[in-house]
Amino acid sequence: MFCTAMIAPTDTATKIELSIKALPEPYRGQVLVSIQKQYTDFYRDLTVVLENTEPELLVLVDKAHALPENYIPNDLVLLDSAQVVLNKKDMQARRIAAQALYTMVHAAQAQGITISVSSAYRSYAYQESLFSMYVKEMGEEAASRVSAKPGHSQHQLGTAFDFGSVTNEFAKTRAGKWLTQNARNYGFSLSYPEGLEELTGYSWESWHYRFIGVKAALFEQKYFLGIQQLMLLFLHTYLKA
Ligand SMILES: [Zn+2]
């Protein structure tokens, strides 16, 4: 594909090639171009991301990749209403994600923008009841466009948050616009962007962000067209290869 052996060890270069090949077209070609353009940087940045990010923050959870039914993060904390506006009681998240959330909402608050949280950690059992509620309401096919099956929700990771109204009206609000511009600088990434349903499996959710760490969020922006699914799919293949 391209000569990388001078920069990265041969086995690493092979893994990088394999992982790019695992991406679906038309994105594969675009990611390849952006990586090839700055391959030395890419190899260095990949190493930095993997050395500085907890593996759990980068786990691929989508329609094809599930978490075990018994997966419960071991460092869940209650979200603190003194730190962030909470639209419902007793929400939990992983400690590392909650800390990053507070830092981010304080930065927004300093600019007069309030970001409120509507959903955070969801257990396997809770997701199961949520999904079956949607199925009853709209049938299985429509339900699976808007809600994850149990085990397939990023919310089970304890690092995903829904903000504001949980409708795409949120994108037009000051909080929604601020997050679009700034979330990645705090390690948050929009999981289901507009127009990417075929890739992510879900219709646009302008309110749903996942904490992946600052280094990974910037890595996603620099090489993966700012698309979380592409970066997580790449890393999923890379780490298994
Ligand atoms: Zn969500």
Side-chain angles (χ1 to χ4, degrees):
M1 199 185 284
F2 47 87
C3 181
T4 55
M6 299 292 285
I7 298 151
T10 314
D11 60 330
T12 306
T14 308
K15 285 203 294 181
I16 291 172
E17 284 197 19
L18 262 176
S19 309
I20 295 171
K21 277 187 190 152
L23 302 177
E25 289 291 10
Y27 310 101
R28 184 195 303 151
Q30 296 171 46
V31 169
L32 179 63
V33 168
S34 81
I35 290 177
Q36 270 179 324
K37 251 195 333 213
Q38 39 197 345
Y39 190 74
T40 313
D41 281 13
F42 178 76
Y43 177 59
R44 185 201 60 209
D45 292 346
L46 173 63
T47 309
V48 169
V49 166
L50 293 177
E51 279 174 1
N52 290 280
T53 315
E54 279 181 40
E56 291 78 20
L57 295 182
L58 301 172
V59 166
L60 179 64
V61 180
D62 62 7
K63 290 219 159 144
H65 302 87
L67 288 166
E69 184 170 349
N70 60 5
Y71 176 78
I72 301 170
N74 60 14
D75 58 350
L76 288 173
V77 293
L78 265 182
L79 292 181
D80 181 355
S81 61
Q83 301 278 356
V84 56
V85 176
L86 302 174
N87 294 330
K88 118 185 136 177
K89 278 188 185 165
D90 300 330
M91 281 187 282
Q92 294 177 290
R94 286 198 51 203
R95 184 181 302 275
I96 190 173
Q99 294 299 343
L101 171 74
Y102 300 156
T103 303
M104 180 167 77
V105 300
H106 294 164
Q109 198 62 60
Q111 294 170 40
I113 292 161
T114 302
I115 295 171
S116 64
V117 178
S118 299
S119 188
Y121 169 69
R122 298 207 287 255
S123 68
Y124 185 98
Y126 184 84
Q127 191 67 32
E128 200 164 36
S129 64
L130 199 62
F131 186 74
S132 59
M133 185 192 80
Y134 279 114
V135 170
K136 259 183 224 143
E137 218 172 82
M138 55 178 79
E140 171 128 12
E141 199 186 317
S144 67
R145 294 181 62 208
V146 298
S147 178
K149 290 185 178 168
H152 294 269
S153 172
Q154 290 188 344
H155 287 282
Q156 195 184 337
L157 290 164
T159 52
F161 298 94
D162 292 337
F163 296 116
S165 62
V166 195
T167 70
N168 283 323
E169 288 301 303
F170 180 68
K172 298 182 201 148
T173 64
R174 290 181 74 207
K177 288 178 187 164
W178 191 91
L179 284 170
T180 303
Q181 289 296 315
N182 299 289
R184 74 178 65 88
N185 298 323
Y186 299 90
F188 286 85
S189 153
L190 183 72
S191 301
Y192 311 116
E194 190 170 17
L196 295 183
E197 181 171 350
E198 215 175 306
L199 176 67
T200 65
Y202 296 99
S203 44
W204 182 33
E205 294 193 0
S206 59
W207 62 85
H208 176 113
Y209 282 79
R210 174 174 170 183
F211 178 71
I212 56 175
V214 175
K215 293 210 159 59
L218 298 176
F219 185 64
E220 170 195 304
Q221 184 66 15
K222 190 167 171 189
Y223 303 101
F224 293 93
L225 323 172
I227 302 174
Q228 183 196 111
Q229 178 75 13
L230 294 176
M231 183 187 69
L232 295 183
L233 193 55
F234 173 91
L235 292 174
H236 177 79
T237 313
Y238 182 84
L239 294 170
K240 273 197 323 191

